[in-house]
PDB file of all heavy atoms in Angstrom:
ATOM      1  N   GLY P   1       0.767  -1.238   0.000  1.00  0.00           N
ATOM      2  CA  GLY P   1       0.052   0.002   0.068  1.00  0.00           C
ATOM      3  C   GLY P   1       0.929   1.294  -0.063  1.00  0.00           C
ATOM      4  O   GLY P   1       0.350   2.230   0.448  1.00  0.00           O
ATOM      5  N   GLN P   2       2.080   1.121  -0.404  1.00  0.00           N
ATOM      6  CA  GLN P   2       3.053   2.327  -0.353  1.00  0.00           C
ATOM      7  C   GLN P   2       3.357   2.838  -1.736  1.00  0.00           C
ATOM      8  O   GLN P   2       4.371   3.533  -1.974  1.00  0.00           O
ATOM      9  CB  GLN P   2       4.294   1.917   0.376  1.00  0.00           C
ATOM     10  CG  GLN P   2       3.969   1.541   1.925  1.00  0.00           C
ATOM     11  CD  GLN P   2       5.247   1.078   2.630  1.00  0.00           C
ATOM     12  OE1 GLN P   2       6.250   1.260   2.132  1.00  0.00           O
ATOM     13  NE2 GLN P   2       4.981   0.461   3.715  1.00  0.00           N
ATOM     14  N   TYR P   3       2.688   2.475  -2.698  1.00  0.00           N
ATOM     15  CA  TYR P   3       2.985   3.026  -4.082  1.00  0.00           C
ATOM     16  C   TYR P   3       2.006   4.236  -4.403  1.00  0.00           C
ATOM     17  O   TYR P   3       0.811   4.111  -3.939  1.00  0.00           O
ATOM     18  CB  TYR P   3       2.741   1.862  -5.289  1.00  0.00           C
ATOM     19  CG  TYR P   3       2.857   2.541  -6.662  1.00  0.00           C
ATOM     20  CD1 TYR P   3       4.136   2.344  -7.244  1.00  0.00           C
ATOM     21  CD2 TYR P   3       1.833   3.161  -7.288  1.00  0.00           C
ATOM     22  CE1 TYR P   3       4.262   2.925  -8.506  1.00  0.00           C
ATOM     23  CE2 TYR P   3       1.965   3.541  -8.552  1.00  0.00           C
ATOM     24  CZ  TYR P   3       3.290   3.599  -9.151  1.00  0.00           C
ATOM     25  OH  TYR P   3       3.407   4.190 -10.387  1.00  0.00           O
ATOM     26  N   PRO P   4       2.444   5.201  -4.902  1.00  0.00           N
ATOM     27  CA  PRO P   4       3.816   5.542  -5.367  1.00  0.00           C
ATOM     28  C   PRO P   4       4.738   6.172  -4.288  1.00  0.00           C
ATOM     29  O   PRO P   4       5.885   6.383  -4.515  1.00  0.00           O
ATOM     30  CB  PRO P   4       3.657   6.478  -6.579  1.00  0.00           C
ATOM     31  CG  PRO P   4       2.400   7.228  -6.141  1.00  0.00           C
ATOM     32  CD  PRO P   4       1.455   6.282  -5.361  1.00  0.00           C
ATOM     33  N   LYS P   5       4.110   6.786  -3.180  1.00  0.00           N
ATOM     34  CA  LYS P   5       4.902   7.639  -2.234  1.00  0.00           C
ATOM     35  C   LYS P   5       5.982   6.959  -1.627  1.00  0.00           C
ATOM     36  O   LYS P   5       6.962   7.514  -1.349  1.00  0.00           O
ATOM     37  CB  LYS P   5       3.938   8.177  -1.198  1.00  0.00           C
ATOM     38  CG  LYS P   5       2.858   9.175  -1.817  1.00  0.00           C
ATOM     39  CD  LYS P   5       1.974   9.767  -0.829  1.00  0.00           C
ATOM     40  CE  LYS P   5       0.967  10.700  -1.341  1.00  0.00           C
ATOM     41  NZ  LYS P   5       0.002  11.350  -0.251  1.00  0.00           N
ATOM     42  N   GLY P   6       5.938   5.725  -1.399  1.00  0.00           N
ATOM     43  CA  GLY P   6       6.995   4.956  -0.734  1.00  0.00           C
ATOM     44  C   GLY P   6       8.132   4.632  -1.565  1.00  0.00           C
ATOM     45  O   GLY P   6       9.254   4.218  -0.980  1.00  0.00           O
ATOM     46  N   VAL P   7       7.944   4.552  -2.781  1.00  0.00           N
ATOM     47  CA  VAL P   7       9.031   4.195  -3.723  1.00  0.00           C
ATOM     48  C   VAL P   7      10.073   5.277  -3.882  1.00  0.00           C
ATOM     49  O   VAL P   7       9.867   6.378  -4.150  1.00  0.00           O
ATOM     50  CB  VAL P   7       8.465   3.821  -5.119  1.00  0.00           C
ATOM     51  CG1 VAL P   7       9.502   3.172  -6.022  1.00  0.00           C
ATOM     52  CG2 VAL P   7       7.198   2.903  -5.109  1.00  0.00           C
ATOM     53  N   PRO P   8      11.378   4.853  -3.753  1.00  0.00           N
ATOM     54  CA  PRO P   8      12.447   5.751  -3.888  1.00  0.00           C
ATOM     55  C   PRO P   8      12.349   6.357  -5.295  1.00  0.00           C
ATOM     56  O   PRO P   8      12.155   5.681  -6.198  1.00  0.00           O
ATOM     57  CB  PRO P   8      13.774   4.931  -3.766  1.00  0.00           C
ATOM     58  CG  PRO P   8      13.308   3.800  -2.916  1.00  0.00           C
ATOM     59  CD  PRO P   8      11.826   3.491  -3.217  1.00  0.00           C
ATOM     60  N   GLU P   9      12.460   7.772  -5.303  1.00  0.00           N
ATOM     61  CA  GLU P   9      12.254   8.505  -6.519  1.00  0.00           C
ATOM     62  C   GLU P   9      13.006   7.896  -7.703  1.00  0.00           C
ATOM     63  O   GLU P   9      12.498   7.885  -8.849  1.00  0.00           O
ATOM     64  CB  GLU P   9      12.651   9.977  -6.253  1.00  0.00           C
ATOM     65  CG  GLU P   9      12.425  10.888  -7.441  1.00  0.00           C
ATOM     66  CD  GLU P   9      10.936  11.048  -7.889  1.00  0.00           C
ATOM     67  OE1 GLU P   9       9.998  10.854  -6.995  1.00  0.00           O
ATOM     68  OE2 GLU P   9      10.673  11.311  -9.054  1.00  0.00           O
ATOM     69  N   GLN P  10      14.300   7.527  -7.413  1.00  0.00           N
ATOM     70  CA  GLN P  10      15.052   7.123  -8.570  1.00  0.00           C
ATOM     71  C   GLN P  10      14.672   5.793  -9.170  1.00  0.00           C
ATOM     72  O   GLN P  10      15.032   5.400 -10.292  1.00  0.00           O
ATOM     73  CB  GLN P  10      16.564   7.042  -8.074  1.00  0.00           C
ATOM     74  CG  GLN P  10      16.974   5.961  -7.318  1.00  0.00           C
ATOM     75  CD  GLN P  10      16.811   6.387  -5.751  1.00  0.00           C
ATOM     76  OE1 GLN P  10      16.008   7.139  -5.354  1.00  0.00           O
ATOM     77  NE2 GLN P  10      17.636   5.800  -4.866  1.00  0.00           N
ATOM     78  N   PHE P  11      13.800   5.008  -8.526  1.00  0.00           N
ATOM     79  CA  PHE P  11      13.354   3.653  -8.907  1.00  0.00           C
ATOM     80  C   PHE P  11      11.852   3.671  -9.132  1.00  0.00           C
ATOM     81  O   PHE P  11      11.241   2.743  -9.626  1.00  0.00           O
ATOM     82  CB  PHE P  11      13.608   2.703  -7.801  1.00  0.00           C
ATOM     83  CG  PHE P  11      14.990   2.523  -7.309  1.00  0.00           C
ATOM     84  CD1 PHE P  11      15.365   2.364  -6.087  1.00  0.00           C
ATOM     85  CD2 PHE P  11      16.075   2.659  -8.286  1.00  0.00           C
ATOM     86  CE1 PHE P  11      16.689   2.313  -5.641  1.00  0.00           C
ATOM     87  CE2 PHE P  11      17.450   2.646  -7.902  1.00  0.00           C
ATOM     88  CZ  PHE P  11      17.750   2.447  -6.626  1.00  0.00           C
ATOM     89  N   LEU P  12      11.194   4.794  -9.017  1.00  0.00           N
ATOM     90  CA  LEU P  12       9.649   4.848  -9.213  1.00  0.00           C
ATOM     91  C   LEU P  12       9.418   4.775 -10.779  1.00  0.00           C
ATOM     92  O   LEU P  12      10.105   5.372 -11.519  1.00  0.00           O
ATOM     93  CB  LEU P  12       9.292   6.231  -8.646  1.00  0.00           C
ATOM     94  CG  LEU P  12       7.740   6.429  -8.918  1.00  0.00           C
ATOM     95  CD1 LEU P  12       6.885   5.402  -8.139  1.00  0.00           C
ATOM     96  CD2 LEU P  12       7.336   7.885  -8.537  1.00  0.00           C
ATOM     97  N   ILE P  13       8.418   3.900 -11.022  1.00  0.00           N
ATOM     98  CA  ILE P  13       7.801   3.908 -12.341  1.00  0.00           C
ATOM     99  C   ILE P  13       6.491   4.646 -12.246  1.00  0.00           C
ATOM    100  O   ILE P  13       5.521   4.062 -11.714  1.00  0.00           O
ATOM    101  CB  ILE P  13       7.555   2.529 -12.885  1.00  0.00           C
ATOM    102  CG1 ILE P  13       8.928   1.802 -12.934  1.00  0.00           C
ATOM    103  CG2 ILE P  13       6.965   2.581 -14.343  1.00  0.00           C
ATOM    104  CD1 ILE P  13       8.850   0.255 -13.443  1.00  0.00           C
ATOM    105  N   LYS P  14       6.414   5.967 -12.716  1.00  0.00           N
ATOM    106  CA  LYS P  14       5.227   6.637 -12.462  1.00  0.00           C
ATOM    107  C   LYS P  14       3.931   6.228 -13.276  1.00  0.00           C
ATOM    108  O   LYS P  14       4.203   5.626 -14.390  1.00  0.00           O
ATOM    109  CB  LYS P  14       5.448   8.151 -12.873  1.00  0.00           C
ATOM    110  CG  LYS P  14       6.543   8.826 -11.914  1.00  0.00           C
ATOM    111  CD  LYS P  14       6.756  10.276 -12.385  1.00  0.00           C
ATOM    112  CE  LYS P  14       7.786  10.918 -11.377  1.00  0.00           C
ATOM    113  NZ  LYS P  14       8.141  12.320 -11.841  1.00  0.00           N
ATOM    114  N   GLY P  15       2.772   6.407 -12.679  1.00  0.00           N
ATOM    115  CA  GLY P  15       1.630   6.291 -13.500  1.00  0.00           C
ATOM    116  C   GLY P  15       1.039   4.845 -13.585  1.00  0.00           C
ATOM    117  O   GLY P  15       0.084   4.563 -14.318  1.00  0.00           O
ATOM    118  N   LEU P  16       1.569   3.894 -12.801  1.00  0.00           N
ATOM    119  CA  LEU P  16       1.175   2.445 -12.823  1.00  0.00           C
ATOM    120  C   LEU P  16      -0.294   2.307 -12.231  1.00  0.00           C
ATOM    121  O   LEU P  16      -0.978   1.414 -12.541  1.00  0.00           O
ATOM    122  CB  LEU P  16       2.083   1.618 -12.118  1.00  0.00           C
ATOM    123  CG  LEU P  16       3.520   1.444 -12.722  1.00  0.00           C
ATOM    124  CD1 LEU P  16       4.268   0.361 -11.886  1.00  0.00           C
ATOM    125  CD2 LEU P  16       3.386   0.967 -14.143  1.00  0.00           C
ATOM    126  N   ASP P  17      -0.695   3.301 -11.477  1.00  0.00           N
ATOM    127  CA  ASP P  17      -1.948   3.324 -10.901  1.00  0.00           C
ATOM    128  C   ASP P  17      -3.007   4.243 -11.571  1.00  0.00           C
ATOM    129  O   ASP P  17      -4.133   4.505 -11.113  1.00  0.00           O
ATOM    130  CB  ASP P  17      -2.015   3.697  -9.398  1.00  0.00           C
ATOM    131  CG  ASP P  17      -1.251   5.046  -9.127  1.00  0.00           C
ATOM    132  OD1 ASP P  17      -0.775   5.652 -10.098  1.00  0.00           O
ATOM    133  OD2 ASP P  17      -1.452   5.663  -8.157  1.00  0.00           O
ATOM    134  N   SER P  18      -2.470   4.814 -12.775  1.00  0.00           N
ATOM    135  CA  SER P  18      -3.386   5.746 -13.524  1.00  0.00           C
ATOM    136  C   SER P  18      -4.334   5.013 -14.421  1.00  0.00           C
ATOM    137  O   SER P  18      -4.146   3.753 -14.739  1.00  0.00           O
ATOM    138  CB  SER P  18      -2.475   6.694 -14.301  1.00  0.00           C
ATOM    139  OG  SER P  18      -1.744   6.073 -15.278  1.00  0.00           O
ATOM    140  N   ASP P  19      -5.244   5.693 -14.927  1.00  0.00           N
ATOM    141  CA  ASP P  19      -6.215   4.906 -15.849  1.00  0.00           C
ATOM    142  C   ASP P  19      -6.305   5.636 -17.149  1.00  0.00           C
ATOM    143  O   ASP P  19      -5.663   6.670 -17.428  1.00  0.00           O
ATOM    144  CB  ASP P  19      -7.643   5.058 -15.213  1.00  0.00           C
ATOM    145  CG  ASP P  19      -8.482   3.839 -15.475  1.00  0.00           C
ATOM    146  OD1 ASP P  19      -8.196   3.253 -16.544  1.00  0.00           O
ATOM    147  OD2 ASP P  19      -9.484   3.601 -14.830  1.00  0.00           O
ATOM    148  N   THR P  20      -6.894   5.097 -18.153  1.00  0.00           N
ATOM    149  CA  THR P  20      -6.954   5.518 -19.535  1.00  0.00           C
ATOM    150  C   THR P  20      -8.241   6.588 -19.502  1.00  0.00           C
ATOM    151  O   THR P  20      -8.960   6.610 -18.654  1.00  0.00           O
ATOM    152  CB  THR P  20      -7.223   4.437 -20.520  1.00  0.00           C
ATOM    153  OG1 THR P  20      -8.388   3.588 -20.065  1.00  0.00           O
ATOM    154  CG2 THR P  20      -5.913   3.627 -20.566  1.00  0.00           C
ATOM    155  N   THR P  21      -8.326   7.323 -20.579  1.00  0.00           N
ATOM    156  CA  THR P  21      -9.413   8.184 -20.697  1.00  0.00           C
ATOM    157  C   THR P  21     -10.737   7.318 -20.812  1.00  0.00           C
ATOM    158  O   THR P  21     -11.737   7.832 -20.137  1.00  0.00           O
ATOM    159  CB  THR P  21      -9.393   8.983 -22.028  1.00  0.00           C
ATOM    160  OG1 THR P  21      -8.150   8.719 -22.685  1.00  0.00           O
ATOM    161  CG2 THR P  21      -9.474  10.388 -21.741  1.00  0.00           C
ATOM    162  N   GLU P  22     -10.690   6.262 -21.480  1.00  0.00           N
ATOM    163  CA  GLU P  22     -11.897   5.397 -21.447  1.00  0.00           C
ATOM    164  C   GLU P  22     -11.980   4.626 -20.212  1.00  0.00           C
ATOM    165  O   GLU P  22     -10.986   3.913 -19.810  1.00  0.00           O
ATOM    166  CB  GLU P  22     -11.905   4.525 -22.730  1.00  0.00           C
ATOM    167  CG  GLU P  22     -11.873   5.233 -24.032  1.00  0.00           C
ATOM    168  CD  GLU P  22     -13.115   5.927 -24.427  1.00  0.00           C
ATOM    169  OE1 GLU P  22     -14.111   5.434 -23.753  1.00  0.00           O
ATOM    170  OE2 GLU P  22     -13.212   6.652 -25.257  1.00  0.00           O
ATOM    171  N   LYS P  23     -13.174   4.477 -19.689  1.00  0.00           N
ATOM    172  CA  LYS P  23     -13.267   3.775 -18.370  1.00  0.00           C
ATOM    173  C   LYS P  23     -14.393   2.849 -18.410  1.00  0.00           C
ATOM    174  O   LYS P  23     -15.446   3.058 -19.179  1.00  0.00           O
ATOM    175  CB  LYS P  23     -13.385   4.774 -17.170  1.00  0.00           C
ATOM    176  CG  LYS P  23     -12.072   5.620 -16.838  1.00  0.00           C
ATOM    177  CD  LYS P  23     -12.307   6.561 -15.682  1.00  0.00           C
ATOM    178  CE  LYS P  23     -11.070   7.170 -15.266  1.00  0.00           C
ATOM    179  NZ  LYS P  23     -10.596   8.081 -16.343  1.00  0.00           N
ATOM    180  N   VAL P  24     -14.391   1.831 -17.673  1.00  0.00           N
ATOM    181  CA  VAL P  24     -15.613   1.038 -17.409  1.00  0.00           C
ATOM    182  C   VAL P  24     -15.846   0.713 -15.871  1.00  0.00           C
ATOM    183  O   VAL P  24     -14.917   1.078 -15.086  1.00  0.00           O
ATOM    184  CB  VAL P  24     -15.376  -0.444 -18.037  1.00  0.00           C
ATOM    185  CG1 VAL P  24     -15.175  -0.284 -19.667  1.00  0.00           C
ATOM    186  CG2 VAL P  24     -14.162  -1.198 -17.477  1.00  0.00           C
ATOM    187  N   LYS P  25     -16.881   0.204 -15.608  1.00  0.00           N
ATOM    188  CA  LYS P  25     -17.078  -0.027 -14.091  1.00  0.00           C
ATOM    189  C   LYS P  25     -16.510  -1.171 -13.668  1.00  0.00           C
ATOM    190  O   LYS P  25     -16.275  -2.265 -14.479  1.00  0.00           O
ATOM    191  CB  LYS P  25     -18.698  -0.126 -13.951  1.00  0.00           C
ATOM    192  CG  LYS P  25     -19.425   1.040 -14.229  1.00  0.00           C
ATOM    193  CD  LYS P  25     -20.899   0.949 -13.928  1.00  0.00           C
ATOM    194  CE  LYS P  25     -21.697   2.186 -14.202  1.00  0.00           C
ATOM    195  NZ  LYS P  25     -23.130   2.049 -14.107  1.00  0.00           N
ATOM    196  N   PRO P  26     -15.908  -1.352 -12.479  1.00  0.00           N
ATOM    197  CA  PRO P  26     -15.074  -2.444 -11.975  1.00  0.00           C
ATOM    198  C   PRO P  26     -15.884  -3.775 -11.909  1.00  0.00           C
ATOM    199  O   PRO P  26     -16.964  -3.873 -11.391  1.00  0.00           O
ATOM    200  CB  PRO P  26     -14.573  -1.962 -10.728  1.00  0.00           C
ATOM    201  CG  PRO P  26     -15.642  -0.921 -10.282  1.00  0.00           C
ATOM    202  CD  PRO P  26     -16.128  -0.184 -11.400  1.00  0.00           C
ATOM    203  N   PHE P  27     -15.229  -4.732 -12.388  1.00  0.00           N
ATOM    204  CA  PHE P  27     -15.693  -6.141 -12.178  1.00  0.00           C
ATOM    205  C   PHE P  27     -15.335  -6.666 -10.752  1.00  0.00           C
ATOM    206  O   PHE P  27     -14.457  -6.078 -10.161  1.00  0.00           O
ATOM    207  CB  PHE P  27     -15.061  -7.043 -13.206  1.00  0.00           C
ATOM    208  CG  PHE P  27     -15.623  -6.874 -14.646  1.00  0.00           C
ATOM    209  CD1 PHE P  27     -15.441  -5.727 -15.338  1.00  0.00           C
ATOM    210  CD2 PHE P  27     -16.305  -7.997 -15.168  1.00  0.00           C
ATOM    211  CE1 PHE P  27     -15.889  -5.647 -16.624  1.00  0.00           C
ATOM    212  CE2 PHE P  27     -16.878  -7.866 -16.409  1.00  0.00           C
ATOM    213  CZ  PHE P  27     -16.688  -6.641 -17.175  1.00  0.00           C
ATOM    214  N   VAL P  28     -16.022  -7.685 -10.334  1.00  0.00           N
ATOM    215  CA  VAL P  28     -15.700  -8.098  -8.969  1.00  0.00           C
ATOM    216  C   VAL P  28     -15.436  -9.687  -8.990  1.00  0.00           C
ATOM    217  O   VAL P  28     -16.267 -10.349  -9.702  1.00  0.00           O
ATOM    218  CB  VAL P  28     -16.695  -7.865  -7.889  1.00  0.00           C
ATOM    219  CG1 VAL P  28     -16.412  -8.402  -6.557  1.00  0.00           C
ATOM    220  CG2 VAL P  28     -16.906  -6.377  -7.795  1.00  0.00           C
ATOM    221  N   ASP P  29     -14.349 -10.171  -8.566  1.00  0.00           N
ATOM    222  CA  ASP P  29     -14.132 -11.619  -8.527  1.00  0.00           C
ATOM    223  C   ASP P  29     -15.014 -12.300  -7.406  1.00  0.00           C
ATOM    224  O   ASP P  29     -14.808 -12.086  -6.180  1.00  0.00           O
ATOM    225  CB  ASP P  29     -12.601 -11.894  -8.229  1.00  0.00           C
ATOM    226  CG  ASP P  29     -12.305 -13.422  -8.387  1.00  0.00           C
ATOM    227  OD1 ASP P  29     -13.193 -14.233  -8.661  1.00  0.00           O
ATOM    228  OD2 ASP P  29     -11.097 -13.780  -8.194  1.00  0.00           O
ATOM    229  N   VAL P  30     -15.967 -13.178  -7.845  1.00  0.00           N
ATOM    230  CA  VAL P  30     -16.835 -13.965  -6.991  1.00  0.00           C
ATOM    231  C   VAL P  30     -16.744 -15.370  -6.916  1.00  0.00           C
ATOM    232  O   VAL P  30     -17.488 -16.078  -6.303  1.00  0.00           O
ATOM    233  CB  VAL P  30     -18.422 -13.580  -7.212  1.00  0.00           C
ATOM    234  CG1 VAL P  30     -18.658 -11.991  -7.256  1.00  0.00           C
ATOM    235  CG2 VAL P  30     -18.715 -13.957  -8.680  1.00  0.00           C
ATOM    236  N   ALA P  31     -15.434 -15.835  -7.454  1.00  0.00           N
ATOM    237  CA  ALA P  31     -15.371 -17.210  -7.540  1.00  0.00           C
ATOM    238  C   ALA P  31     -15.338 -17.844  -6.142  1.00  0.00           C
ATOM    239  O   ALA P  31     -15.851 -18.986  -5.926  1.00  0.00           O
ATOM    240  CB  ALA P  31     -14.181 -17.612  -8.386  1.00  0.00           C
ATOM    241  N   GLU P  32     -14.552 -17.259  -5.239  1.00  0.00           N
ATOM    242  CA  GLU P  32     -14.495 -17.850  -3.982  1.00  0.00           C
ATOM    243  C   GLU P  32     -15.814 -17.959  -3.148  1.00  0.00           C
ATOM    244  O   GLU P  32     -16.126 -19.111  -2.551  1.00  0.00           O
ATOM    245  CB  GLU P  32     -13.513 -17.051  -3.109  1.00  0.00           C
ATOM    246  CG  GLU P  32     -13.330 -17.605  -1.690  1.00  0.00           C
ATOM    247  CD  GLU P  32     -12.247 -16.783  -0.891  1.00  0.00           C
ATOM    248  OE1 GLU P  32     -12.114 -15.577  -1.147  1.00  0.00           O
ATOM    249  OE2 GLU P  32     -11.523 -17.345   0.091  1.00  0.00           O
ATOM    250  N   GLY P  33     -16.579 -16.904  -3.276  1.00  0.00           N
ATOM    251  CA  GLY P  33     -17.949 -17.080  -2.628  1.00  0.00           C
ATOM    252  C   GLY P  33     -18.785 -18.186  -3.232  1.00  0.00           C
ATOM    253  O   GLY P  33     -19.588 -18.790  -2.567  1.00  0.00           O
ATOM    254  N   LEU P  34     -18.629 -18.432  -4.479  1.00  0.00           N
ATOM    255  CA  LEU P  34     -19.327 -19.438  -5.132  1.00  0.00           C
ATOM    256  C   LEU P  34     -18.888 -20.871  -4.887  1.00  0.00           C
ATOM    257  O   LEU P  34     -19.379 -21.947  -5.461  1.00  0.00           O
ATOM    258  CB  LEU P  34     -19.583 -19.093  -6.758  1.00  0.00           C
ATOM    259  CG  LEU P  34     -20.525 -17.997  -7.088  1.00  0.00           C
ATOM    260  CD1 LEU P  34     -20.262 -17.631  -8.533  1.00  0.00           C
ATOM    261  CD2 LEU P  34     -21.945 -18.391  -6.792  1.00  0.00           C
ATOM    262  N   GLY P  35     -17.634 -21.000  -4.388  1.00  0.00           N
ATOM    263  CA  GLY P  35     -16.975 -22.300  -4.281  1.00  0.00           C
ATOM    264  C   GLY P  35     -16.398 -22.862  -5.520  1.00  0.00           C
ATOM    265  O   GLY P  35     -16.197 -24.121  -5.672  1.00  0.00           O
ATOM    266  N   ILE P  36     -15.997 -22.011  -6.476  1.00  0.00           N
ATOM    267  CA  ILE P  36     -15.540 -22.480  -7.833  1.00  0.00           C
ATOM    268  C   ILE P  36     -14.168 -21.900  -8.025  1.00  0.00           C
ATOM    269  O   ILE P  36     -13.719 -21.927  -9.219  1.00  0.00           O
ATOM    270  CB  ILE P  36     -16.520 -22.114  -8.949  1.00  0.00           C
ATOM    271  CG1 ILE P  36     -16.613 -20.500  -9.052  1.00  0.00           C
ATOM    272  CG2 ILE P  36     -17.886 -22.714  -8.770  1.00  0.00           C
ATOM    273  CD1 ILE P  36     -17.509 -19.988 -10.301  1.00  0.00           C
ATOM    274  N   ASN P  37     -13.522 -21.482  -6.999  1.00  0.00           N
ATOM    275  CA  ASN P  37     -12.145 -21.000  -7.107  1.00  0.00           C
ATOM    276  C   ASN P  37     -11.080 -22.003  -7.079  1.00  0.00           C
ATOM    277  O   ASN P  37     -10.432 -22.155  -5.950  1.00  0.00           O
ATOM    278  CB  ASN P  37     -11.853 -19.846  -6.013  1.00  0.00           C
ATOM    279  CG  ASN P  37     -12.129 -20.393  -4.591  1.00  0.00           C
ATOM    280  OD1 ASN P  37     -12.967 -21.248  -4.372  1.00  0.00           O
ATOM    281  ND2 ASN P  37     -11.334 -20.002  -3.702  1.00  0.00           N
ATOM    282  N   ILE P  38     -10.868 -22.757  -8.130  1.00  0.00           N
ATOM    283  CA  ILE P  38      -9.971 -23.901  -8.189  1.00  0.00           C
ATOM    284  C   ILE P  38      -8.514 -23.221  -7.996  1.00  0.00           C
ATOM    285  O   ILE P  38      -8.161 -22.210  -8.780  1.00  0.00           O
ATOM    286  CB  ILE P  38     -10.023 -24.546  -9.558  1.00  0.00           C
ATOM    287  CG1 ILE P  38     -11.541 -25.041  -9.772  1.00  0.00           C
ATOM    288  CG2 ILE P  38      -9.111 -25.773  -9.621  1.00  0.00           C
ATOM    289  CD1 ILE P  38     -11.751 -25.137 -11.277  1.00  0.00           C
ATOM    290  N   ASN P  39      -7.780 -23.955  -7.162  1.00  0.00           N
ATOM    291  CA  ASN P  39      -6.335 -23.597  -7.187  1.00  0.00           C
ATOM    292  C   ASN P  39      -5.632 -24.550  -7.855  1.00  0.00           C
ATOM    293  O   ASN P  39      -5.485 -25.749  -7.520  1.00  0.00           O
ATOM    294  CB  ASN P  39      -5.879 -23.645  -5.551  1.00  0.00           C
ATOM    295  CG  ASN P  39      -4.539 -23.074  -5.310  1.00  0.00           C
ATOM    296  OD1 ASN P  39      -3.900 -22.661  -6.362  1.00  0.00           O
ATOM    297  ND2 ASN P  39      -4.048 -23.012  -4.225  1.00  0.00           N
ATOM    298  N   GLY P  40      -5.245 -24.051  -9.090  1.00  0.00           N
ATOM    299  CA  GLY P  40      -4.572 -24.962 -10.021  1.00  0.00           C
ATOM    300  C   GLY P  40      -3.565 -24.397 -10.969  1.00  0.00           C
ATOM    301  O   GLY P  40      -3.295 -23.157 -10.898  1.00  0.00           O
ATOM    302  N   ARG P  41      -3.069 -25.133 -11.813  1.00  0.00           N
ATOM    303  CA  ARG P  41      -2.091 -24.690 -12.877  1.00  0.00           C
ATOM    304  C   ARG P  41      -2.730 -24.296 -14.096  1.00  0.00           C
ATOM    305  O   ARG P  41      -4.103 -24.277 -14.226  1.00  0.00           O
ATOM    306  CB  ARG P  41      -1.128 -25.813 -13.086  1.00  0.00           C
ATOM    307  CG  ARG P  41      -0.017 -25.988 -11.959  1.00  0.00           C
ATOM    308  CD  ARG P  41       0.863 -27.019 -12.226  1.00  0.00           C
ATOM    309  NE  ARG P  41       0.409 -28.420 -11.756  1.00  0.00           N
ATOM    310  CZ  ARG P  41       1.003 -29.477 -11.695  1.00  0.00           C
ATOM    311  NH1 ARG P  41       2.403 -29.588 -12.084  1.00  0.00           N
ATOM    312  NH2 ARG P  41       0.583 -30.568 -11.387  1.00  0.00           N
ATOM    313  N   ALA P  42      -2.053 -23.969 -15.077  1.00  0.00           N
ATOM    314  CA  ALA P  42      -2.552 -23.489 -16.330  1.00  0.00           C
ATOM    315  C   ALA P  42      -3.586 -24.547 -16.995  1.00  0.00           C
ATOM    316  O   ALA P  42      -3.259 -25.677 -16.747  1.00  0.00           O
ATOM    317  CB  ALA P  42      -1.353 -23.357 -17.436  1.00  0.00           C
ATOM    318  N   GLY P  43      -4.682 -24.035 -17.574  1.00  0.00           N
ATOM    319  CA  GLY P  43      -5.587 -25.061 -18.117  1.00  0.00           C
ATOM    320  C   GLY P  43      -6.635 -24.367 -18.826  1.00  0.00           C
ATOM    321  O   GLY P  43      -6.583 -23.067 -19.101  1.00  0.00           O
ATOM    322  N   GLY P  44      -7.596 -25.045 -19.236  1.00  0.00           N
ATOM    323  CA  GLY P  44      -8.703 -24.547 -20.152  1.00  0.00           C
ATOM    324  C   GLY P  44     -10.077 -24.482 -19.437  1.00  0.00           C
ATOM    325  O   GLY P  44     -10.221 -24.982 -18.238  1.00  0.00           O
ATOM    326  N   VAL P  45     -10.985 -23.934 -20.033  1.00  0.00           N
ATOM    327  CA  VAL P  45     -12.372 -23.720 -19.409  1.00  0.00           C
ATOM    328  C   VAL P  45     -13.340 -23.721 -20.570  1.00  0.00           C
ATOM    329  O   VAL P  45     -13.077 -23.248 -21.640  1.00  0.00           O
ATOM    330  CB  VAL P  45     -12.481 -22.492 -18.576  1.00  0.00           C
ATOM    331  CG1 VAL P  45     -12.228 -21.209 -19.459  1.00  0.00           C
ATOM    332  CG2 VAL P  45     -13.865 -22.306 -17.994  1.00  0.00           C
TER     333      VAL P  45
END
């Protein structure tokens, strides 16, 4: 929770938390609540 203020100036990559002009409403990950949050490796669906 210390980006960007906590990052030493010489190592900071600015703007990683900025957004584009076009925006959408945020999605929410609900897999855990539904019990479908498989802990696995690469795969298909």
Side-chain angles (χ1 to χ4, degrees):
Q2 297 176 17
Y3 175 92
K5 293 183 178 179
V7 186
E9 180 64 27
Q10 69 271 33
F11 303 141
L12 176 65
I13 303 176
K14 296 180 180 179
L16 294 183
D17 57 348
S18 64
D19 213 337
T20 53
T21 355
E22 300 287 343
K23 293 181 175 62
V24 298
K25 294 180 180 178
F27 288 64
V28 178
D29 185 0
V30 298
E32 183 176 25
L34 287 168
I36 58 175
N37 55 327
I38 305 154
N39 189 353
R41 284 178 275 190
V45 60

